[in-house]
Amino acid sequence: MDPTQKPNPIYDIVILGASGFTGKYVVREALKFFQTPSSPLKSLALAGRNPTRLTQSLQWAAHPNSPPSSVAILTADTSDPDSLRRLCSQTKLILNCVGPFRIHGDPVVSACADSGCDYLDISGEPEFMERMEAKYHERAEETGSLIVSACGFDSIPAELGLLFNSRQWEPPSVPNQIEAYLRLESDKKIAGNFGTYESAVLGVANADKLKELRRSRPRRPRPTIHGPAAKGPALENQKKIGLWALKLPSADAVVVRRTLTTLTEKPHGLPGVNESPDQIQKREAYWSTIKPAHFGVKITSKSLFGIFQYITLGVSLGLLSKFSFGRWLLLKFPSVFSAGVFQKKGPSEEEVESATFKMWFIGRGYSEESLASQGNTKPDMEIITRISGPEIGYITTPIALVQCGLIVLGQRESLVKGGVYTPGIVFGSTDIQQRLEENGISFEVISKNKIQE
């Protein structure tokens, strides 16, 4: 046994923030795998500030069945470090659903890094994620604490979508650019997660802090990408998918870049704690098929009016987030500034159930690697792939988080000992894609074509 690991924790997983809007859906997803024959999840606890609300969350999540009596209710508060240390001593893994993470996340990561407890969250906040890496990576490596943010819709589909598209470029072909086009669909109105909105407001407000953090960090090697960087338009009519598209400053692009940077430093991926020769061979073979590419994300709409709504929200965030009264307005009246997409009370179950997403990955590159080095040669090949799934914030996010958690529980020996990493580099070479496909998220190759000029 690794000397940094705690002796026999009581629980396999603790879900922290289990009574929040997203937390209760994570509980519902986790219960599907609780004490089932092939699942490593044998013991589970819910943690938060209010035991009554946690119990109600468990009842809601178990409905129409009665809640399992063996699920424990624990009291913990992100502002009480002692309660977090107690939590870490009782579990192998914490799934953290308490956002905004820039406000509530650091003490939880700190407690996990100190104790050797593993940690996953659903943050989509670049500054928080990069700050956690700067502050806790070395400590987590020492103690054997595996810390992975962005294990929800931010940024599992983007990470796995990029990797899936990249693997379709069989030698001698190479990608140059892979762009993701996100389409949110619903029979009813599209309802956003207020926590996501709040994080965006705070993220824009603190953009300078992220720049400052990056300036203070040592420079890391950049991935080698074949061919020159192509600057695409901010707004385009993407005829291949029949949608208007607007470039989005997104956490996904930041997370993917960090994954590709780590892969540049460790081209065979991250070695596991105790891998078998077969597992080593499988991991190295997987990562040898991944070719880096320039990556960006665009939000799409069938109409220019839909795009105009996104622009209006973006301009409101950009202008008002910079001063405290503006932030108060944005957070007090989210529905006004987002044309009804974001509301404090959260969506109805009907709105959640009726929503879906599609994410196309349009890869452009070269049929021969040698073409890329000829300077002015334009890409002559295009590969389009797509990921589709249910509603992003309350269904896809819990599916992704819980599947990452089950991999950490069941395949811990083949994962890296500890450190702060992105989900792509940790889970890319595991069976995560197959698991998502078994749980309602599809991956498909749409087309492979030569580009006709």
Side-chain angles (χ1 to χ4, degrees), residues 143-160:
T143 63
S145 167
L146 178 56
I147 293 168
V148 190
S149 284
C151 294
F153 184 77
D154 289 327
S155 292
I156 293 288
E159 290 255 77
L160 297 185

Side-chain angles (χ1 to χ4, degrees), residues 116-193:
C117 176
D118 292 332
Y119 169 99
L120 305 178
D121 73 32
I122 51 174
S123 169
E125 301 168 42
E127 192 212 337
F128 166 75
M129 295 188 266
E130 292 180 40
R131 198 173 292 284
M132 294 307 95
E133 183 185 33
K135 283 178 77 171
Y136 298 117
H137 178 70
E138 286 175 7
R139 179 66 176 146
E141 275 189 315
E142 283 169 27
T143 63
S145 167
L146 178 56
I147 293 168
V148 190
S149 284
C151 294
F153 184 77
D154 289 327
S155 292
I156 293 288
E159 290 255 77
L160 297 185
L162 172 103
L163 297 174
F164 180 66
N165 189 288
S166 177
R167 295 191 78 200
Q168 310 309 316
W169 294 81
E170 292 166 11
S173 69
V174 290
N176 165 259
Q177 178 182 43
I178 298 172
E179 285 201 293
Y181 293 80
L182 172 61
R183 169 85 180 133
L184 304 177
E185 298 174 333
S186 178
D187 301 337
K188 305 191 178 340
K189 75 179 181 66
I190 290 170
N193 181 317

Side-chain angles (χ1 to χ4, degrees), residues 248-406:
L248 195 65
S250 89
D252 285 342
V254 174
V255 172
V256 164
R257 278 198 291 273
R258 286 175 59 214
T259 288
L260 294 177
T261 297
T262 307
L263 186 59
T264 306
E265 295 167 337
K266 296 183 166 68
H268 301 301
L270 304 174
V273 181
N274 189 16
E275 289 174 295
S276 68
D278 280 356
Q279 287 170 326
I280 293 170
Q281 188 181 7
K282 179 174 161 282
R283 167 174 54 80
E284 293 184 351
Y286 175 87
W287 289 112
S288 73
T289 65
I290 302 300
K291 303 152 205 77
H294 298 290
F295 180 74
V297 180
K298 293 184 174 180
I299 188 88
T300 69
S301 175
K302 286 181 178 168
S303 70
L304 268 175
F305 177 71
I307 292 292
F308 178 72
Q309 286 183 304
Y310 289 124
I311 292 172
T312 304
L313 175 58
V315 169
S316 301
L317 286 175
L319 293 176
L320 295 175
S321 293
K322 293 295 184 189
F323 55 96
S324 58
F325 180 64
R327 289 193 294 277
W328 179 84
L329 281 173
L330 286 167
L331 296 174
K332 183 78 174 169
F333 307 107
S335 186
V336 173
F337 292 101
S338 66
V341 172
F342 296 101
Q343 296 183 2
K344 278 195 170 176
K345 67 177 184 349
S348 68
E349 281 184 60
E350 291 74 27
E351 285 168 343
V352 170
E353 295 298 333
S354 69
T356 58
F357 81 90
K358 289 188 175 76
M359 206 168 187
W360 287 265
F361 294 80
I362 300 184
R364 293 165 71 87
Y366 303 91
S367 55
E368 300 269 350
E369 191 176 324
S370 56
L371 292 172
S373 54
Q374 291 174 17
N376 297 332
T377 317
K378 286 185 174 176
D380 68 338
M381 191 170 167
E382 179 181 79
I383 296 179
I384 301 178
T385 54
R386 184 171 67 195
I387 297 182
S388 314
E391 190 279 334
I392 61 174
Y394 301 99
I395 302 186
T396 291
T397 286
I399 289 169
L401 179 64
V402 168
Q403 290 307 318
C404 290
L406 293 173

